[in-house]
Amino acid sequence: MSSQHYCRLLHDILTDPRIKELEILKSIPPEMEAMIMENNDGDGVYDKRYYPFIVVPGEHIVGIPRQVLMTAFADARTKFYDLIKLSSWTDEQTLEVSQASLVLLLIGSENLSAINARKRLTTRFLETASLCREFRVTTVLLSSRLQKHSKSPLIWNYHKFIVSAKLDYFTRTSNHRERAKYIEDLCKSELQTVLVAAEHHPMNYYAWAYARWLFVEIYGSLLSSPSARYYSIVVVRKYLESVVRKIEKWCFSHASDSSAWSFFQWVLFKYVDGSHRAATDRTDDTYLLSKVVEVIQFATTVSLAHESVWGFVRRVVSDSEYVSDRSCEKFSGMINSYLRSRKADTYGVQVYGEGMSSKDRALRQKQESILDNLRDKDVHVVSSCLTWIAVRRHLKSLMHR
């Protein structure tokens, strides 16, 4: 097969609405190749029309052999840089630019020329089909287990451009109720894309920054538009509460992801802001205080010595706009009690039996050393958290005098 044929196949795969994820393969096992060639299912993506690319049945995942991708890249790169020099493209050249730019993006996520070419194509054909196709392309790139794509600022910014264009186009052809429903569904699906991208690349700052933009610009536009009359404060509170629960569950499963905990704090404050119209009513929100208690319990029982978790606690507890001095003292007391008990933990002073072999003794000492190091790190992190809370609260009190 020619490299041009590979480019066309890759373009078809990325624009196929049934494909959800891509993965680069080092090679194709011979037994799998035989299975693909024997598959005569012509009903959808599971037939051999995408060969030599492998579609995993039932999973909507496509495996791309690296050798095939590099073959396609050699031809796509030359063709792409020749075509972008032209001031205008014919229909055939437009298709070639679209195919070649996708191959270049699969090879390198930070290819600005490929992103600009696709934006030029999208702007030229600003219609529902074109926007939906481009939305699928960027969603697949951000959701795939590729090297850097789910953490690429260029792809996230381009995805943001597509989402905004889709919303603007939909707004012009729909009423307020339809727009409200569309934005709700869009925020839910896009939040799932963010969680998948953050799963593939921990500490994914760009994914969580996009999530912030999503709720400020997209969901925020819903609350500030004429359709806001369909949204009471109870509806907003209920929706944001569901988001908080989802993010909290994700953070508990990814305790070391500081970017996720930072977003959790941000969306929790947004929930409180959306629940109370008056700024004075935001202090000591019952739901916020309950979440802080849950996180402290998590940090002191399951997730020991994770600075990202304690970072969440110190940022929330030290914020006097949301937590009163009385509640802050209560939380500080809880943390102090844990700190005292943690300092009292001793592991390296065990009495060993005379019958214990030297191998067992060495293994026990190694385990105790690990526990001692974990305790020392935990004590340091918790102590720093308490100091940080005390210093920040003191500075804020001085500023309000």
Side-chain angles (χ1 to χ4, degrees):
M1 294 182 183
S2 65
S3 57
Q4 186 175 358
H5 180 71
Y6 292 150
C7 289
R8 182 181 62 77
L9 281 179
L10 283 169
H11 182 269
D12 292 345
I13 287 171
L14 277 165
T15 55
D16 192 324
R18 293 165 292 186
I19 302 301
K20 306 299 182 186
E21 190 176 334
L22 305 174
E23 191 165 344
I24 307 298
L25 307 176
K26 291 183 178 180
S27 61
I28 306 177
E31 60 274 13
M32 185 176 290
E33 187 171 359
M35 289 172 60
I36 295 169
M37 296 307 295
E38 291 174 4
N39 184 10
N40 297 317
D41 178 19
D43 214 11
V45 299
Y46 306 124
D47 61 333
K48 57 186 179 184
R49 67 190 176 97
Y50 282 144
Y51 180 82
F53 304 108
I54 302 171
V55 180
V56 180
E59 298 293 335
H60 306 285
I61 301 175
V62 174
I64 303 175
R66 183 176 296 277
Q67 184 178 358
V68 175
L69 180 60
M70 296 308 297
T71 302
F73 171 72
D75 180 67
R77 185 179 185 278
T78 304
K79 186 176 294 183
F80 175 79
Y81 286 106
D82 287 341
L83 288 172
I84 61 171
K85 297 174 185 177
L86 304 177
S87 57
S88 61
W89 300 318
T90 64
D91 291 343
E92 183 180 352
Q93 289 172 337
T94 297
L95 181 59
E96 289 178 346
V97 169
S98 181
Q99 293 174 353
S101 60
L102 282 182
V103 176
L104 265 59
L105 280 176
L106 282 172
I107 292 293
S109 60
E110 303 303 312
N111 194 316
L112 183 59
S113 298
I115 290 288
N116 286 338
R118 299 203 67 80
K119 188 178 290 188
R120 179 179 167 186
L121 289 173
T122 305
T123 309
R124 179 182 173 187
F125 303 103
L126 203 58
E127 55 187 20
T128 304
S130 174
L131 290 172
C132 289
R133 181 174 61 250
E134 206 62 17
F135 178 76
R136 285 196 299 269
V137 168
T138 53
T139 300
V140 169
L141 289 175
L142 293 170
S143 304
S144 298
R145 298 178 183 274
L146 302 175
Q147 188 175 6
K148 296 178 180 179
H149 292 67
S150 59
K151 207 172 185 178
S152 166
L154 282 181
I155 297 179
W156 276 113
N157 285 331
Y158 181 50
H159 188 66
K160 189 188 298 184
F161 166 78
I162 296 298
V163 170
S164 297
K166 271 188 72 179
L167 181 60
D168 290 342
Y169 189 87
F170 185 83
T171 301
R172 293 196 299 267
T173 59
S174 62
N175 58 40
H176 295 316
R177 287 185 182 274
E178 291 173 341
R179 183 175 183 271
K181 180 66 168 60
Y182 177 79
I183 288 178
E184 270 196 357
D185 294 341
L186 178 67
C187 287
K188 288 178 182 177
S189 64
E190 286 301 278
L191 182 60
Q192 188 59 38
T193 300
V194 168
L195 295 180
V196 171
E199 184 81 40
H200 294 336
H201 276 280
M203 318 293 182
N204 198 332
Y205 167 80
Y206 299 105
W208 295 112
Y210 172 78
R212 286 183 175 87
W213 172 84
L214 188 70
F215 285 101
V216 171
E217 298 296 330
I218 304 300
Y219 194 74
S221 69
L222 177 64
L223 302 179
S224 60
S225 67
S227 59
R229 66 177 180 270
Y230 299 115
Y231 273 75
S232 66
I233 194 171
V234 177
V235 174
V236 175
R237 185 183 177 101
K238 184 178 179 181
Y239 174 71
L240 289 177
E241 185 178 339
S242 68
V243 175
V244 168
R245 287 199 303 268
K246 191 169 190 176
I247 298 301
E248 180 187 33
K249 183 179 179 181
W250 198 92
C251 286
F252 281 3
S253 302
H254 305 78
S256 60
D257 198 318
S258 56
S259 295
W261 283 100
S262 178
F263 179 77
F264 181 31
Q265 172 216 331
W266 181 86
V267 78
L268 187 58
F269 284 172
K270 281 292 177 185
Y271 164 81
V272 175
D273 294 343
S275 302
H276 306 283
R277 298 192 186 279
T280 53
D281 295 337
R282 296 171 186 168
T283 306
D284 281 356
D285 179 86
T286 306
Y287 188 74
L288 182 142
L289 296 181
S290 68
K291 289 301 171 186
V292 176
V293 171
E294 288 177 13
V295 173
I296 291 176
Q297 290 174 346
F298 173 72
T300 55
T301 55
V302 179
S303 178
L304 301 179
H306 273 105
E307 191 169 354
S308 52
V309 183
W310 286 106
F312 168 87
V313 173
R314 74 189 184 204
R315 287 192 300 269
V316 175
V317 173
S318 64
D319 198 315
S320 57
E321 293 183 16
Y322 296 92
V323 179
S324 65
D325 291 339
R326 182 180 177 181
S327 297
C328 180
E329 290 176 5
K330 175 185 173 183
F331 289 133
S332 297
M334 290 174 60
I335 299 171
N336 259 316
S337 298
Y338 169 72
L339 185 61
R340 286 193 296 269
S341 65
R342 198 75 174 105
K343 286 179 178 178
D345 288 339
T346 54
Y347 301 105
V349 293
Q350 305 296 324
V351 178
Y352 303 109
E354 293 183 0
M356 183 178 290
S357 66
S358 58
K359 184 178 179 180
D360 291 340
R361 187 188 299 269
L363 180 61
R364 179 70 63 84
Q365 289 174 344
K366 184 178 179 179
Q367 292 171 344
E368 291 168 354
S369 175
I370 292 173
L371 291 172
D372 278 335
N373 291 335
L374 178 62
R375 178 204 58 207
D376 293 342
K377 182 181 178 182
D378 197 24
V379 167
H380 172 73
V381 170
V382 177
S383 300
S384 299
C385 175
L386 280 172
T387 304
W388 203 90
I389 291 172
V391 170
R392 187 168 181 186
R393 299 287 295 204
H394 178 65
L395 290 175
K396 286 202 171 185
S397 66
L398 292 177
M399 290 172 62
H400 288 91
R401 283 182 181 178

